[in-house]
Amino acid sequence: MPDATRSLVELVDDFSSILANDPGPLAPDRQEYVHNLHGAGVEDQVALLERQIRLTRGGQLYYFSGMRGTGKSTELKRLELMLNGRPNTRAYVVDALDYISDTHELDTLDLLLVVAAAFAHRLSQDDALGEPQLDQEGPLKRFSTWLQSDVEIQGATVAGIKVDFKRQQQSIIQRIRAFDLARQERVMAECQAFITDMADAVRQKWKIEKVVLMVDSLERLRGVGSGAAQMFERIVKVFYGDERRLRVRDVQMVFSVPPYLPYLTNVKAFVQLFMLASVRVCQPPDVARRQPRPEGLDALETLVTKRFADWQRVLSRDALHKLCIHSGGDLRQLLRRLLASTLEHAAFLPPERLPLQAGDEVIQTVLDAHRVDFEDLVVQAEYPLLKSIAERNALELPERSDLPVLAHFFDLRAVLNYRNGKDWLDINPLLWPLIDSWTPPAPHASPAAGSA
């Protein structure tokens, strides 16, 4: 095999390997991180949230949201770094799904218990309170004793709490669901008090004023099958109906929440919400509907370049931008699906075929395959709602019974949200051909008056 050919084959394999080994949430100091991917200044939701936390004293509750694939976990790491760069603040990110599964039937008591446990485990690390606090009389030791005595989690310790929660998840649910109302109220209040006490210990050790706790991954909670509607109702009740219980004295709390929450509830009247949008690869609908937005395409090009600098030996710039547009600005759809599939094809092409051009049949084959996959995820009964969103770039639900359907759309990423000065919606570009060409059936004509 000639050296040039071997080099090109290895290049495609290297590119594929990078995409297959996704680094996950990125810290801002990582080479792959793209600054201002979602906008700068007042368009930067993380900068706005950081400013609000910085200006607010005492306890406060914030919600941070966005579609799956927009980079929320990465941006929470950035927020943590920004806050810890301030002399009077300590901020910590915990991942709720380290303690419960993504199908956990969440309620407010569960959430507060998980948050307290996650905070305790995080504080046992050396950059917080440290492991010695586990053996000394203090909030971490008291919390561990309380878990075993009051919540009756057998053998629970702060050091092993991730494993304990995962292993005993079902039995813990059954036990706390059996608590009477008064006991549930008491346990929730005790969870809040433990979080406050732990935060006070952080203040004393580090001689700081403000403690921020960020709880990630809650937007990934989902119901399965017939339990989907019930999960939706539980999430709405926790983050909308019970938001006051999520407030903790003297602690700034940030919860990741599902992206459908602000569209289906009046939650913004009670909680400050910061919403991460998909990368704006298209112009806003009132400017040039579904036309490419160069700044957004350039941002995604930068993202790809930071992961693999030699991508232009495999794809032309026009081909990459075509994939970017059809990703809808969704990072996962671009990197893990469209680009990864394109490279699978490229690995078996003759070298003279590369770099692939935008009009190459391989690009269209990849788009067609993923379009069919996406079309199979929606059913005809959902077409009218998708059509309405596509035409209005906004949400107008005809029936309250459609609420779980919309939540399902956001979970699938069949609907994406954007922000160009104002928030707007569109359906996923892979659904454009199907939904744009669909016309509602004509209503049945009523029998003529007087007919037999």
Side-chain angles (χ1 to χ4, degrees):
M1 182 184 293
D3 289 346
T5 301
R6 185 172 65 251
S7 174
L8 197 53
V9 170
E10 290 173 352
L11 190 80
V12 173
D13 285 349
D14 288 346
F15 196 178
S16 298
S17 178
I18 287 172
L19 296 183
N21 295 282
D22 183 13
L26 299 172
D29 57 356
R30 285 283 296 268
Q31 185 273 334
E32 301 98 326
Y33 182 80
V34 179
H35 292 273
N36 300 325
L37 184 62
H38 302 281
V42 294
E43 292 182 337
D44 185 346
Q45 293 291 291
V46 171
L48 293 176
L49 176 52
E50 187 274 340
R51 182 176 186 273
Q52 194 60 47
I53 291 172
R54 174 162 41 90
L55 296 178
T56 304
R57 295 182 178 178
Q60 186 56 270
L61 177 65
Y62 309 96
Y63 287 166
F64 184 62
S65 189
M67 299 288 182
R68 295 170 72 177
T70 51
K72 293 182 300 301
S73 295
T74 287
E75 290 303 298
L76 281 179
K77 285 182 174 291
R78 174 180 159 223
L79 178 59
E80 181 184 35
L81 188 66
M82 293 168 70
L83 291 169
N84 284 329
R86 302 192 61 79
N88 70 334
T89 304
R90 299 292 290 188
Y92 304 96
V93 176
V94 297
D95 191 326
L97 296 192
D98 284 343
Y99 303 84
I100 55 175
S101 70
D102 61 358
T103 57
H104 183 96
E105 296 178 354
L106 188 77
D107 69 9
T108 309
L109 175 54
D110 300 343
L111 179 56
L112 285 171
L113 190 58
V114 165
V115 169
F119 193 30
H121 185 266
R122 178 66 183 86
L123 294 185
S124 69
Q125 298 174 27
D126 290 340
D127 64 340
L129 297 180
E131 285 191 10
Q133 285 287 324
L134 299 177
D135 299 321
Q136 299 172 12
E137 189 57 41
L140 298 189
K141 185 175 181 180
R142 290 196 301 271
F143 179 68
S144 180
T145 301
W146 175 81
L147 283 177
Q148 298 182 52
S149 60
D150 285 45
V151 189
E152 302 172 21
I153 302 179
Q154 299 302 317
T157 64
V158 169
I161 208 159
K162 286 186 181 182
V163 175
D164 293 332
F165 261 75
K166 285 278 191 179
R167 179 170 51 84
Q168 301 185 49
Q169 187 174 164
Q170 290 304 316
S171 62
I172 292 171
I173 293 173
Q174 293 170 2
R175 189 175 301 114
I176 63 180
R177 294 282 194 276
F179 291 171
D180 60 38
L181 185 59
R183 189 176 180 187
Q184 289 186 17
E185 293 284 346
R186 185 177 74 251
V187 170
M188 284 190 281
E190 288 169 341
C191 285
Q192 293 169 327
F194 274 117
I195 294 170
T196 296
D197 289 347
M198 289 184 241
D200 285 342
V202 171
R203 289 189 188 89
Q204 292 171 17
K205 175 171 181 175
W206 296 102
K207 304 296 187 283
I208 50 94
E209 171 189 343
K210 192 168 296 185
V211 176
V212 184
L213 177 57
M214 295 171 274
V215 186
D216 194 15
S217 297
L218 292 166
E219 78 287 348
R220 292 163 52 193
L221 291 170
R222 58 187 180 86
V224 177
S226 60
Q230 184 180 19
M231 176 67 87
F232 163 79
E233 292 171 359
R234 283 182 177 275
I235 289 172
V236 170
K237 181 181 184 300
V238 169
F239 294 112
Y240 180 53
D242 268 3
E243 55 83 21
R244 62 184 177 82
R245 299 182 187 274
L246 304 182
R247 298 178 184 272
V248 177
R249 180 174 57 84
D250 295 333
V251 182
Q252 304 256 17
M253 304 288 294
V254 180
F255 286 90
S256 67
V257 298
Y260 55 75
L261 198 67
Y263 292 97
L264 307 185
T265 69
N266 190 31
V267 69
K268 287 190 283 188
F270 304 97
V271 181
Q272 294 185 70
L273 175 85
F274 298 83
M275 191 91 168
L276 204 62
S278 302
V279 177
R280 297 163 293 166
V281 293
C282 289
Q283 300 285 3
D286 57 349
V287 173
R289 182 175 183 267
R290 292 182 177 171
Q291 294 304 302
R293 178 176 176 270
E295 299 91 338
L297 297 176
D298 289 345
L300 287 184
E301 181 181 320
T302 300
L303 182 144
V304 173
T305 302
K306 280 178 170 286
R307 280 168 165 75
F308 193 74
D310 286 335
W311 63 267
Q312 291 195 66
R313 293 182 62 189
V314 183
L315 288 167
S316 70
R317 191 164 186 258
D318 286 346
L320 176 63
H321 284 195
K322 185 173 183 177
L323 295 176
C324 290
I325 290 171
H326 283 82
S327 76
D330 181 282
L331 307 185
R332 291 186 186 179
Q333 186 161 306
L334 173 64
L335 298 175
R336 298 187 190 179
R337 293 173 65 85
L338 300 182
L339 262 178
S341 295
T342 300
L343 293 175
E344 285 180 4
H345 287 271
F348 297 95
L349 294 176
E352 59 270 17
R353 187 84 169 269
L354 302 179
L356 291 171
Q357 302 302 307
D360 194 293
E361 63 179 344
V362 166
I363 300 295
Q364 195 57 49
T365 297
V366 168
L367 294 176
D368 287 344
H370 287 287
R371 174 179 53 78
V372 170
D373 288 345
F374 235 94
E375 290 176 354
D376 288 343
L377 296 176
V378 298
V379 297
Q380 283 200 6
E382 297 166 344
Y383 290 4
L385 183 53
L386 289 168
K387 184 85 169 182
S388 173
I389 294 170
E391 291 180 343
R392 294 179 172 85
N393 296 111
L395 177 63
E396 294 180 13
L397 287 178
E399 304 285 345
R400 291 195 65 81
S401 59
D402 288 327
L403 294 178
V405 176
L406 184 68
H408 178 62
F409 287 165
F410 279 102
D411 189 49
L412 291 178
R413 300 196 292 277
V415 172
L416 301 173
N417 76 300
Y418 301 94
R419 181 179 301 107
N420 295 73
K422 63 179 182 179
D423 291 327
W424 53 281
L425 301 172
D426 200 355
I427 60 175
N428 194 297
L430 294 176
L431 288 174
W432 287 353
L434 173 68
I435 300 303
D436 289 353
S437 63
W438 178 80
T439 54
H444 294 293
S446 57
S451 62

